[in-house]
Amino acid sequence: MEKDIVKYIGEVLSDLYVVDPKNVAISLERTKPGIEGDYTIVVFPFVKYSKKSPMDTAKEIGVSLKARCEDIDSYNVIQGFLNISMTHEYWVNRLNSLAQAKKADDDSNKPLIMVEFSSPNTNKPLHLGHLRNNFLGDSVSRIVKAAGNRVMKVNLVNDRGIHICKSMIAWLKWGDGITPEKAGVKGDKLVGDFYVLFNNKYKEELEELKKSGLSDEEAEKKSPLMAETRSMLQKWEAGDKDVRKVWEMMNSWVYAGFDETYKKIGISFDRIYYESQTYLLGKSIVTKGLDRGVFVRDEDSSVWIDLTKEGLDRKILLRSDGTTVYMTQDIGTAAQRFAEYNPEKLIYVVGNEQDYHFAVLKKVVQKLGEDYHDRIFHLSYGMVELPEGKMKSREGTVVDADDLVADMIETARSISEENGKLGDIDEAEKNKIIEMIAVGALKYFILKVDPKKQMVFNPKESIDFNGNTGPFIQYTHARICSVLRNAKAQNISVSKRVSEDVRLLDKEISLIASVCSYGKIVDEAAKKLDPGQIANYVYNLCKEYNQFYHDHSILKETDANIIQLRLLLSQQVALTIKNCMNMLGIEVPEVM
RNA sequence: GGUCCAGUAGCUCAGCUGGAUAGAGCAACGGCCUUCUAAGCCGUAGGCCAUGGGUUCGAAUCCCGUCUGGAUCACCA
């Protein structure tokens, strides 16, 4: 293992230069392609201890290291780089131990990580931006789980507020009793349409009012539509039965629509919170904080926190009428979650326009003296933009999630039919594979990009199915499965232990080394909360495997030991691909 | 204006806890299917890593300035 090699290097340093290896950063990296060696040690940092040239330092470390570790076959020194080559037996053993590794599966003692994501607004059908949120949240949950944690995926639905009343008013006024069934439209789309309708009617009304000489502000105040909406919100808050009934009905339409989309893109939650149930939370916490002098009350009796000393601003926590704001609610839900589940980490997957909000939230919680303030993480991600800039509903450039998925499926279907490899599979299975490819292409496209960066999506050029894409990786998996099927058909079974006597090709060694670094990559991705790390890794693994596959035959090899080695290696690569794609929330087919 | 994030090939992105010749894919051009899946493989071409300085054996990577783009600074959520 790499760890053992690092340990040996430490011992060598300690012997040669009398330094405590704990104080020296030892970096062991894979040797760059084109240079002889498997691992590379950069010796520049050791020069100050050896008081010799980098070349001589590398050489003497090489001598001692080889003497100490029998797995090292040879070494060479180029400039300040010590490249070591491991023996073939070492690599065969690494492969064998991969095949025999068992999974530990007792979850109960693992730390709990809670991930909040998706958090849709019931007025707006899901679009491209939401997809990035959902894919990231889902993937990060899976990665964190793979890295050895328990995970709880939660969703906080924004189901109340003045904006929700707008679509209700529009439906009551102009809906004529229409339902998603009657309209033949998904529920979330129908409600979204009424929200748009309200805004259009409201705009018309304002224009009318302004014609009679009112200013913008006066018109807004006088608008009967808005007055009606405000009064509806009050009724809602008072629990008015009629209002609640409409609200519940329209929400149920939206949830049915959302569920359909979530199912299509393979997203699920362990618990769904609703703002209608959480928006009052936090008020008592703020009141108590006020008593303790953490917060201040203004003359108009609104409550604030002063964070100017922390480099932030003053932030309101309770309005002058005593009602809560967004921040108040988040203070409440955080307290509730830590009280109820006490997670090790609470990760919020929310766009970077909320960076400030979460900076404030953490500070407020800290000032309240809660020990969980440093367990709150904001996974902030960048906007998804179109080539011409931001998506604008006004200009009709919003890329709807359902439409996009449907388009992807159509493209996947036509490519698949062109290739004609799914010929003799039954229709249901075929559709399943096509959807797998379509959703896989979409998820991979979005997840391979560093979350914090804003990304560009071009709907016209669509998403590729060749190159660094989900389908490429799925294809590699299907290809390996095909080889394994052929082996089985020829009655060749895959042994879990390959003979140590086989001589390995460079490409085989490098593939084994790549598969071996899986665990390290998962830890890294979990630490950074970055699915892109996994995507990059699995892409490189596939590329490497395909090169190997192209240059060398597996089943036509004459040496039975080599067949065994290549089959086992192929099987392990396929397993690694499957695990990686699973962490991205992408399924892999056995045929495509 | 303050704060935060980003700027790498024509396009979309890796690489960023300093290390060898800055990598992929797409698009362009040229090869490879009677042989385990060609959604694949190989090759050609494409770069003042926004810019100016600094730190050092060494900078795309760290620090400072400048320019450009985005976000944010509500009794909205």
Side-chain angles (χ1 to χ4, degrees), chain A residues 70-90:
Chain A
E70 59 178 12
D71 290 331
I72 295 175
D73 186 48
S74 63
Y75 67 93
N76 66 76
V77 178
I78 302 172
Q79 296 173 33
F81 301 94
L82 172 59
N83 304 309
I84 56 177
S85 298
M86 311 304 286
T87 63
H88 289 207
E89 291 75 23
Y90 170 82

Side-chain angles (χ1 to χ4, degrees), chain A residues 139 142 440-441 443-444 447 469-475 477 518 534-535 538-539 542 575-588:
Chain A
S139 177
R142 292 165 180 270
K443 285 189 179 179
Y444 188 87
L447 289 174
T469 65
F472 167 81
I473 293 158
Q474 290 170 319
Y475 175 79
H477 182 266
Y518 170 80
I534 304 288
V538 73
Y539 171 66
C542 287
L575 182 64
T576 307
I577 292 172
K578 191 175 181 175
N579 289 338
C580 285
M581 292 298 261
N582 178 48
M583 277 185 277
L584 301 177
I586 301 171
E587 291 182 273
V588 286

Side-chain angles (χ1 to χ4, degrees), chain A residues 127-128 386 388-400 459:
Chain A
H127 60 64
L128 185 53
L386 303 174
E388 56 274 17
K390 289 180 75 173
M391 292 191 287
K392 287 176 187 149
S393 48
R394 225 177 295 159
E395 290 165 26
T397 55
V398 174
V399 179
D400 179 79

Side-chain angles (χ1 to χ4, degrees), chain A residues 340-490:
Chain A
E340 197 170 349
Y341 299 104
N342 195 29
E344 198 74 17
K345 275 188 191 176
L346 173 54
I347 299 169
Y348 293 88
V349 182
V350 183
N352 62 11
E353 71 271 16
Q354 302 286 357
D355 285 357
Y356 183 71
H357 173 80
F358 283 100
V360 172
L361 177 65
K362 287 189 74 161
K363 277 277 178 283
V364 170
V365 173
Q366 185 176 12
K367 288 218 160 196
L368 282 166
E370 300 291 356
D371 67 330
Y372 56 73
H373 72 270
D374 56 359
R375 285 189 267 160
I376 293 174
F377 292 85
H378 175 204
L379 172 49
S380 162
Y381 62 90
M383 295 276 138
V384 184
E385 293 194 350
L386 303 174
E388 56 274 17
K390 289 180 75 173
M391 292 191 287
K392 287 176 187 149
S393 48
R394 225 177 295 159
E395 290 165 26
T397 55
V398 174
V399 179
D400 179 79
D402 296 318
D403 293 349
L404 180 57
V405 172
D407 283 353
M408 295 294 300
I409 290 173
E410 275 328 295
T411 311
R413 188 182 306 282
S414 69
I415 292 175
S416 174
E417 272 163 15
E418 239 171 73
N419 291 333
K421 285 178 198 156
L422 298 180
D424 47 355
I425 299 174
D426 73 272
E427 207 59 25
E429 187 66 18
K430 209 185 274 183
N431 284 330
K432 210 178 128 190
I433 292 169
I434 286 166
E435 283 195 22
M436 224 185 252
I437 295 166
V439 174
L442 189 54
K443 285 189 179 179
Y444 188 87
F445 180 85
I446 288 175
L447 289 174
K448 76 174 179 195
V449 180
D450 184 343
K452 70 168 180 278
K453 288 194 179 180
Q454 68 177 243
M455 60 179 291
V456 176
F457 177 89
N458 190 337
K460 288 190 198 89
E461 287 179 11
S462 184
I463 292 173
D464 279 313
F465 286 69
N466 300 319
N468 187 359
T469 65
F472 167 81
I473 293 158
Q474 290 170 319
Y475 175 79
T476 309
H477 182 266
R479 185 182 234 185
I480 296 173
C481 288
S482 171
V483 173
L484 295 174
R485 275 193 303 273
N486 289 335
K488 202 176 171 189
Q490 295 173 32

